[in-house]
Amino acid sequence: MQPALTLAPRRLGVVNWLGLRTLYLKEVRRFAKVFTQTLVSPLVTTLLFLAIFTLALGRSVQQVGGVGYAEFLFPGLVMMSMVQNAFANTSSSLVIAKIQGNIVDLLMPPLSPLELSLGLAGGGLTRGICVGLVSTLAVSFLLPIHVHDWFFIVFHAIGASLMLSLIGVLAGLWADKFDQMAAVTNFIIQPLSFLSGAFYSTQRLPDLWRTIAHLNPFFYMIDGFRYGFIGHADGSLLAGVIVITSADILLGLLLWRLFAIGYKLRP
Amino acid sequence: MSIGPALGPRRFGRVNWIGTAALYRRETWRLQKDYLDSLLGPALANLIFMLILTVAASGGTMGGGMASGSGTTVAGLPLTDFIAPGLIMFAAGERAFSAACVSILFDKLEGMIGDVVMAPLTSGERLAAFAGASMSAGAISGVATAAVLWPFAHILPVHPAAFFYFLIAGSLLLGFLGTVAGLWARRWDHYAALLAYFLVPFSYLSGMFYSTVGLPELARQLIALNPLYYVIDGMRYGMTGYAETAIGPGALLILVLDIALAGLLYGLLRSGWRLKA
């Protein structure tokens, strides 16, 4: 006798694991499909920056933070690339979905605000980590890479990618047009990441500028990540861990709340 | 006795001046509408670039202001003066290329390219309007960047003629390349790939940030093959009076390249390559 097939709505437990997994995979496949734009192109940019800064400054700047200029520079470049890509992944995903109207694919399925936040942020985080791995691997053919402390490398890679991935979701929720997104990238994300001390040691800035530089959250990501490689930090490592952890938690809570009230998503 | 204008098809002579001017205006205005992204964004990015290079180069001798660039010299010039021409040219070239490429690609994807193809314009007139629009976009972007860099470097040209010649000829070069790229591209992916794998490497590896004097021989020879090297060198000569290569042959080379690309593009537009079915 055949067991009767019951037709009924799918029942979910506390967490809709299948839905969460599907959303996450959708976000990852979205960038994996165009990997030449999302993984290879950041890698080329990182290598170009490494080349031009080493060519331009390698002869006049011998030692920074106790290592050669190129070794000082590369962790910052890799981190910049990771966070910019994590941001780009989530922000572009949401803005495009809003403009093309397929945002309903996110709103209609039985996904809770928390699941939405996790799925989207997870996609951006994954892109950041992938970019970081690919870039570090490529640079390792050109430079000797030493690992001083794995904890700081892994912590900052994940913490920073997650942070910018969350900021990307927030920006994507807020923006209604591509222009607004471009403005956020051009006038907030890029300046903050370029002025983060990736290219120079903040220890040699005048006091006022050093204080300002240390107010930039990007400074802690790059400083801590670089410490993991070269064993030298410009600022306080503990402060960095606290800043990034608390920023991740606060942004995550804010995002959860915004999805819960349907900010800019539901009329 | 006739009253009012005769109704009939508009007649024009050998050149459709009104049509050419209209196409030029259309291409120019659609770009200037988003001036915040197209002008201020690149100008700000270039300013930041200049600051970080200056700070990074200043070694342990950070005495004065962050942007004074005191102490660091390249080929006898303050670092800021050395890199400003390259940054200005990069802003102009990137803008000219993108303007031309995005405009054509957008029209093709949105199905509006008919507006350009159907209008009673000859290939030469289309070429003139496209080239003029991308050149103006580039030159405006270059001048905007120069204005932003003003407080930090000696911007006023020593040889204005050379400065403007290379700014315009360089923008034209990248504008032509952008037009060819726009005709060739079928998707936005193609445009993104061209920017990342062609335009940016081509611009950055052109002696923009460093003097080629003292580079390894192979690197020097490779850079000497890059036409943008001569454009940037010429701009630097115009702004500071310092040049690494002879200016005359450089100027001639760019002129020849511009004419050759114009010829190629004329042929492409005439044949309707990737525009007409």
Side-chain angles (χ1 to χ4, degrees), chain A residues 183-260:
Chain A
V184 173
T185 308
N186 281 337
F187 298 112
I188 299 178
I189 302 298
Q190 275 205 349
L192 282 180
S193 55
F194 273 104
L195 297 175
S196 58
F199 299 93
Y200 43 81
S201 167
T202 58
Q203 282 179 347
R204 72 162 91 108
L205 293 176
D207 285 344
L208 173 67
W209 288 104
R210 186 166 58 230
T211 312
I212 294 175
H214 288 199
L215 290 176
N216 178 353
F218 286 63
F219 164 74
Y220 294 99
M221 304 168 184
I222 284 170
D223 198 39
F225 188 64
R226 187 163 54 213
Y227 173 81
F229 287 99
I230 68 172
H232 164 90
D234 286 343
S236 156
L237 288 169
L238 180 65
V241 172
I242 294 173
V243 166
I244 290 174
T245 313
S246 43
D248 279 344
I249 293 173
L250 289 177
L251 287 167
L253 289 175
L254 174 64
L255 191 59
W256 185 6
R257 180 78 198 125
L258 290 180
F259 271 123

Side-chain angles (χ1 to χ4, degrees), chain A residues 69-138:
Chain A
Y69 185 64
E71 282 137 275
F72 175 87
L73 181 62
F74 100 85
L77 288 177
V78 170
M79 178 52 93
M80 271 174 52
S81 191
M82 288 168 74
V83 295
Q84 285 177 357
N85 279 282
F87 176 84
N89 203 62
T90 48
S91 60
S92 67
S93 176
L94 269 178
V95 172
I96 291 175
K98 275 162 72 171
I99 289 175
Q100 296 188 338
N102 58 318
I103 188 79
V104 290
D105 294 349
L106 285 186
L107 301 178
M108 298 287 286
L111 287 167
S112 72
L114 180 62
E115 287 155 3
L116 278 176
S117 315
L118 287 177
L120 288 169
L125 170 65
T126 309
R127 167 137 160 222
I129 300 294
C130 290
V131 167
L133 285 175
V134 171
S135 306
T136 311
L137 186 69

Side-chain angles (χ1 to χ4, degrees), chain B residues 97-109 113 175-187 190-191 194 265 273-275:
Chain B
F97 182 89
S98 295
C101 185
V102 166
S103 179
I104 294 179
L105 182 57
F106 184 83
D107 281 358
K108 285 204 307 197
L109 291 178
I113 196 71
F176 282 139
L177 288 175
T179 313
V180 175
L183 290 176
W184 168 78
R186 294 187 198 276
R187 295 199 309 263
H190 294 157
Y191 166 66
L194 279 172
L265 201 52
W273 182 64
R274 295 216 171 175
L275 278 184

Side-chain angles (χ1 to χ4, degrees), chain B:
Chain B
M1 198 175 88
S2 72
I3 303 168
L7 289 173
R10 184 166 75 83
R11 287 172 195 288
F12 40 84
R14 298 181 67 85
V15 177
N16 181 354
W17 292 108
I18 297 182
T20 310
L23 182 57
Y24 171 81
R25 271 204 311 279
R26 168 185 186 264
E27 295 299 315
T28 307
W29 280 114
R30 72 193 293 179
L31 297 170
Q32 299 311 328
K33 256 171 57 183
D34 61 340
Y35 66 94
L36 195 69
D37 299 329
S38 59
L39 281 183
L40 290 181
L44 181 69
N46 281 315
L47 180 62
I48 291 174
F49 233 98
M50 184 124 147
L51 293 181
I52 54 181
L53 262 167
T54 313
V55 176
S58 62
T61 57
M62 269 309 288
M66 198 167 162
S68 65
S70 55
T72 314
T73 56
V74 182
L77 295 173
L79 178 71
T80 44
D81 288 6
F82 186 85
I83 57 180
L87 291 175
I88 293 171
M89 194 57 234
F90 179 54
E94 201 269 341
R95 191 71 207 136
F97 182 89
S98 295
C101 185
V102 166
S103 179
I104 294 179
L105 182 57
F106 184 83
D107 281 358
K108 285 204 307 197
L109 291 178
E110 298 289 317
M112 294 193 294
I113 196 71
D115 294 352
V116 178
V117 179
M118 298 280 287
L121 292 167
T122 62
S123 304
E125 287 159 0
R126 280 188 199 107
L127 175 67
F130 280 140
S134 56
M135 187 192 77
S136 340
I140 291 171
S141 201
V143 171
T145 302
V148 171
L149 298 181
W150 185 291
F152 307 103
H154 298 96
I155 293 296
L156 283 186
V158 181
H159 306 287
F163 174 81
F164 284 107
Y165 172 79
F166 281 101
L167 178 65
I168 288 173
S171 299
L172 206 52
L173 183 70
L174 272 297
F176 282 139
L177 288 175
T179 313
V180 175
L183 290 176
W184 168 78
R186 294 187 198 276
R187 295 199 309 263
W188 287 113
D189 304 9
H190 294 157
Y191 166 66
L194 279 172
L195 274 193
Y197 302 122
F198 164 70
L199 186 67
V200 172
F202 185 49
S203 314
Y204 278 172
L205 300 177
S206 61
M208 175 170 152
F209 297 107
Y210 39 83
S211 167
T212 58
V213 179
L215 282 186
E217 193 54 33
L218 179 68
R220 282 182 71 166
Q221 283 171 353
L222 283 177
I223 288 178
L225 291 177
N226 184 341
L228 280 186
Y229 172 56
Y230 302 96
V231 179
I232 289 173
D233 201 45
M235 292 268 289
R236 193 176 290 130
Y237 171 77
M239 287 175 69
T240 64
Y242 166 82
E244 289 181 355
T245 61
I247 290 305
L252 193 64
L253 173 75
I254 304 304
L255 185 68
V256 170
L257 279 175
D258 275 345
I259 293 172
L261 277 171
L264 169 72
L265 201 52
Y266 179 76
L268 291 178
L269 285 171
R270 240 181 112 83
S271 74
W273 182 64
R274 295 216 171 175
L275 278 184
K276 299 177 195 168

